Every structure is written in C-alpha cells, then in structure tokens.
Amino acid sequence: MLYLETFGCQMNVSDSEKIAALMRGIGYAETPDPMLADLILLNTCSIRAKAEQRVYGHLGKFKAMKADRPGLIIGVGGCVAQQEGERLLKKAPFVNLVFGTHNLHLLQDMVGAAQGGTRSVETDFLDDEGRFDLFPAGHAEGGVSKFVTVMQGCDNFCAYCIVPHVRGREISRSAAKVVEEVEALAAAGVTEVTLLGQNVNSYGSRKAGEPDFPELLRLVAQIDGIRRLRFTTSHPKDISPQLIDCFADIPKLAPHIHLPAQSGCDAVLKGMNRGYSRAAYLDKVAALKAACPRIQLTGDMIVGFPGEDEEAFQQTLSLMDEVQYADLFSFIYSARPGTKAAGYPDEVGYAEKQGRLERLQAAQKKITLARNESLVGSVQQVLIEGLSTSGDSLFGRTGGNRGAIMSGDPSLAGRVLEVRIVEGLQTILKGEILHV
Ligand code: SAH
Ligand code: SF4
Ligand code: F3S
C-alpha cells in the first residue's frame, strides 16, 4: 500500500495525482494510514524555510517506522528533492529514493530498484514539451471542477523565489493537447476547469500558429459542457490588453483573478525583480475593474523583504486599501538557497517583520469582511461543488471565487445556480438558492 503526502501548491497536487496513478500501475493502492503502508512518498515544497523544515519533521516520524519495518520504502519528491538531490540521501540514510520535479515518469523503475535494495536519485531537468505527454491525462474520474496544466516552470527569477530553480524553465503545452484534455473532462461531466501554470498568462510557445494565452482562453471557452473557466497564477507584467478584454467578453470566464503584487513599494518591487511598478500594477487593476466591474481580486504579499522599512510597508498597506482584495495570502520573507535576494543585507529583525505581518493581516481581515458584507442582497452565480465540510449544507463558489454555503439537495452538485446572499461572514457567505 502507498501512503502519499503532498505539500505546497497546486502543481504538487496535480503531480501527486500522476504519482498515485503510476503507483497503482505497479500494484500500490493508496492508504491514508502510514502504518499500513509499505511505500511512503512525500511530495515536498521548498517555497519558504518553514515548508522545508516540515518535510524534515515528517521524515523523522517515518524514520522511526522504518526501524520497526525494515522493508518499508521511503521516497522524497517535489521541490525539496529537486533542491537537495544527493544531499537528501546523505542527510537521511533511511530514504530509498529521491525524485525531482521533472522525474515522475522514472518513479516506477525507481521503486522497483528500491524493492531490490538499490537507492537512487533522479533530478535531471527535462526541458522539452514532450514531458507533458509522459503520462495519461487523468480525466476519467470526472468531478465538478478540475485543474488542467497548460504550462510549467518559471523564467521570471523574482529575487526571493526558489521556483525557477526547482521547477526549471517555462514550457507551454500545445493548445491542441489542452483542448483535447478539456474536451475529455467536459465529456466526463466536469463543469469548471482552471488552467494552471506557475505563470499562466505568459503561456505560449511563440511558434507560428500557436495561440497566446488570451487566444487559448477563447479556444477553451468554446468547449461545450464547460460552464466556467478560471486560470491561475498570473504575473502582473503579463496582463495584456487582450487578456483584460477576455474578462469583458468571454461569458464563461469567471470574474476573478489572482494577481500577486508582493509589495506596494517601488524600491522593494525593484529589489524583488518583479518587472512592474506600483503605478503599473494599479493601472492594470483599474483596467480589469473597468472591463469587468464584478471582478474580484486576490493576491499574495511578502513583508520584510530586505530593504523594506516602515515607509515601504505603509505603501503596501495603502496599495491593499486601493485594490480592495477579496482575500490576500501574506508571508514573512524567507531567504532561499541559491536565490539572488539570499545575499542581500537584511537589517530588520524578525519580531518587527512578524509585527508587520500581523498589521497587514488585521487590515485585510477588515477589507474581506466589509466586501463579504457588501454582497448581502446580491444574486450570485454559484457553482455547487457538493456538501460542506460539516455535511449539513451545500458548498459552492461564486464567480468571484468566494465560498458560499446554502441548504439544498446534494444532487445539485455540478450545477451553476442563482443564489441570493443573505449573510457575509469573515470566511464564508451564506445564501439561498433562488430556483433550480
Ligand atoms: N507562481 C506564483 C506563485 C509563487 S509561490 C506567482 O508567481 O505568483 C506563492 C507565493 O509565495 C508567492 O506569490 C509569494 O508571495 C510567496 N513566496 C515565494 N517565495 C517566497 C519567499 N522566499 N519568502 C516568502 N514568501 C515567498
Ligand atoms: Fe516565483 Fe516570481 Fe516565478 Fe512566481 S513569478 S514562481 S514568484 S519567480
Ligand atoms: Fe512549493 Fe514547489 Fe509549489 S516550492 S509552492 S511546491 S512549485
């Protein structure tokens, strides 16, 4: 039996689906209980030091299990595996195999080798488009909402970020393959697809005849059966006028965009190598709101980047005030090995950074609540995903990607229904289905 644990972002979630399918192919069914497993695989994240430490914490637990069950095979994949490679085998002698972010297709052989007692490490990058076709597309199971990978990797090299180092260069998948996968999903009853990539709006091989990202959106929107289209994550520098137009005139495109600013201060943005200014970011936000007045924005913010002083931090707060994000993910800067910013002098103490994070989060909480309250009385198009976690109501998402609960029959899963919002709480909307 396989115990597979996934850390980090949607790319890893998507890779884990492939890993589970590959392991089924060699006879490992999945179990949620590591005590029942004879194969443990961790798909890891290295975005911040804490994320990496969690992996080592988990490995410590499995080391004890291996002492009791010497036949247990332990493998580490994902971004920490890519970053550490051979070092991981040395640091953790009980680990049998280490597979990088481009090496999932080797996993069946690596597990076979481990069964025969051989330890292995595979972390070579595979920088060509063929790697999208190494796996069967996982569309047979259906469901309400699915992610479809359209590009992988990142060429932006933001000064703080490890992703380009552990995921490699940007590669786009051919539009024909993307359309084929979405058509298969629609045929299996999927209602919503989210086009996925580290930097999705720089999609495009730039080969003659291949579409760019706005053109890809229009192609996918034509597929019958798909009611709603989303994409994530976007880089502000690649928000083109053509992409903004899509929000005005593709009815299936949900009115939501995740558009991380990272900071509201020009000097910090420059140090981060983000490739846009505060004014350019705000201009794009204004153009998005003009094209689609209902649009909801979410974002990511980093506090305590080297060189951020109180005044720079105030600029971040004022940008948040101007944008009015529906929700915001925020992090304390964490120096990552091999990145440019890891060598920057950093004068602000951790307590000060923590204080900034708390102030930022308190400010966002107020904005989120006010925005949720402002939706009371409005009618939203809600895609019903199924039962809520408590099991006593339905859970769905508005076009703006806000979670909503309401009473109704579970057989409504997969439908897009008109829902009147009756209450706007901090983390959820409450609504009533108007008609089915
Ligand atoms: N490709 C996406 C997501 C990158 S990782 C994008 O470009 O937006 C998700 C978020 O983690 C980033 O947006 C950033 O806010 C945060 N992050 C990345 N590296 C970080 C670091 N070294 N320290 C703190 N936060 C970081
Ligand atoms: Fe990291 Fe920047 Fe690439 Fe996003 S765009 S993955 S933050 S390097
Ligand atoms: Fe983490 Fe790797 Fe994703 S570092 S955020 S799992 S690309």
Side-chain angles (χ1 to χ4, degrees):
M1 300 267 266
L2 162 70
Y3 174 75
L4 171 61
E5 195 163 343
T6 308
F7 303 83
C9 67
Q10 193 53 51
M11 317 292 154
N12 264 13
V13 174
S14 165
D15 283 350
S16 281
E17 286 176 5
K18 294 181 184 129
I19 293 171
L22 285 170
M23 293 302 98
R24 275 197 299 276
I26 54 169
Y28 288 98
E30 230 180 307
T31 169
D33 182 359
M35 294 304 287
L36 298 178
D38 37 28
L39 171 62
I40 291 179
L41 296 177
L42 298 186
N43 193 9
T44 62
C45 173
S46 178
I47 197 77
R48 286 168 286 276
K50 260 190 201 154
E52 187 182 341
Q53 283 152 16
R54 273 179 69 198
V55 173
Y56 284 104
H58 270 65
L59 278 176
K61 255 184 0 201
F62 298 135
K63 180 183 177 185
M65 279 184 205
K66 188 145 176 175
D68 295 337
R69 281 183 283 150
L72 181 64
I73 297 172
I74 299 181
V76 184
C79 295
V80 176
Q82 186 65 47
Q83 176 194 309
E84 295 293 302
E86 288 277 351
R87 273 197 303 270
L88 218 155
L89 275 197
K90 293 209 182 81
K91 274 193 206 166
F94 52 94
V95 167
N96 299 79
L97 53 107
V98 175
F99 58 104
T101 55
H102 291 198
N103 308 100
L104 309 188
H105 61 293
L106 302 176
L107 202 50
Q108 291 187 334
D109 288 345
M110 293 174 81
V111 171
Q115 287 164 344
T118 306
R119 300 173 84 206
S120 57
V121 182
E122 297 286 353
T123 53
D124 284 352
F125 278 152
L126 213 75
D127 279 334
D128 77 70
E129 207 186 302
R131 78 164 195 262
F132 290 110
D133 304 321
L134 292 170
F135 310 96
H139 42 65
E141 326 94 68
V144 171
S145 179
K146 287 278 177 184
F147 285 88
V148 174
T149 301
V150 303
M151 58 84 67
Q152 290 181 336
C154 182
D155 289 349
N156 287 323
F157 288 93
C158 299
Y160 51 80
C161 185
I162 198 147
V163 172
H165 306 269
V166 292
R167 290 273 165 178
R169 300 290 59 74
E170 273 182 30
I171 298 183
S172 292
R173 198 173 166 195
S174 83
K177 289 271 159 67
V178 172
V179 167
E180 196 180 298
E181 184 172 344
V182 178
E183 281 174 347
L185 289 171
V190 170
T191 309
E192 174 182 84
V193 290
T194 304
L195 305 185
L196 183 66
Q198 298 291 357
N199 190 19
V200 76
N201 54 338
S202 80
Y203 171 88
S205 62
R206 287 149 198 109
K207 281 188 220 137
E210 275 289 309
D212 62 11
F213 189 63
E215 288 160 352
L216 180 74
L217 279 179
R218 289 181 194 276
L219 283 175
V220 174
Q222 282 166 15
I223 296 171
D224 284 340
I226 297 301
R227 298 282 310 276
R228 193 183 258 180
L229 186 56
R230 300 184 182 280
F231 59 88
T232 199
T233 292
S234 307
H235 193 295
K237 78 172 167 42
D238 295 317
I239 297 286
S240 63
Q242 292 77 5
L243 182 55
I244 293 172
D245 287 346
C246 290
F247 282 101
D249 55 35
I250 304 181
K252 286 183 186 177
L253 184 59
H256 168 238
I257 186 163
H258 186 68
L259 195 62
Q262 312 298 2
S263 167
C265 164
D266 278 337
V268 173
L269 287 170
K270 195 151 191 268
M272 288 177 164
N273 191 31
R274 286 290 286 176
Y276 54 84
S277 63
R278 172 192 176 94
Y281 180 88
L282 288 172
D283 280 352
K284 291 194 174 173
V285 168
L288 284 161
K289 288 179 175 172
C292 177
R294 296 173 300 142
I295 201 162
Q296 303 284 321
L297 282 109
T298 53
D300 298 338
M301 229 35 116
I302 295 176
V303 301
F305 186 76
E308 184 190 76
D309 55 13
E310 177 62 26
E311 202 185 319
F313 174 63
Q314 287 297 334
Q315 297 251 309
T316 293
L317 292 180
S318 81
L319 181 119
M320 288 162 52
D321 198 40
E322 202 159 320
V323 174
Q324 294 283 306
Y325 293 103
D327 208 353
L328 188 66
F329 301 91
S330 47
F331 314 97
I332 295 177
Y333 166 71
S334 165
R336 306 308 292 130
T339 60
K340 198 166 169 216
Y344 291 180
D346 189 1
E347 273 128 36
V348 177
Y350 194 77
E352 171 64 29
K353 292 179 182 180
Q354 196 135 29
R356 286 183 198 164
L357 185 72
E358 281 163 18
R359 282 150 70 201
L360 182 154
Q361 291 181 339
Q364 181 57 42
K365 240 177 137 175
K366 280 191 196 153
I367 297 173
T368 298
L369 181 61
R371 291 190 65 87
N372 285 349
E373 284 172 343
S374 77
L375 293 175
V376 173
S378 71
V379 175
Q380 302 285 327
Q381 305 290 320
V382 173
L383 170 61
I384 310 293
E385 293 186 5
L387 282 177
S388 64
T389 28
S390 64
D392 51 11
S393 45
L394 293 181
F395 176 84
R397 287 186 177 276
T398 67
N401 210 22
R402 313 314 307 144
I405 51 173
M406 59 246 120
S407 49
D409 193 276
S411 67
L412 295 170
R415 301 267 305 273
V416 178
L417 299 174
E418 290 201 327
V419 170
R420 189 197 311 282
I421 303 305
V422 294
E423 209 177 338
L425 303 176
Q426 185 70 59
T427 56
I428 198 106
L429 304 170
K430 287 188 178 173
E432 306 169 334
I433 295 173
L434 286 185
H435 39 76
V436 293

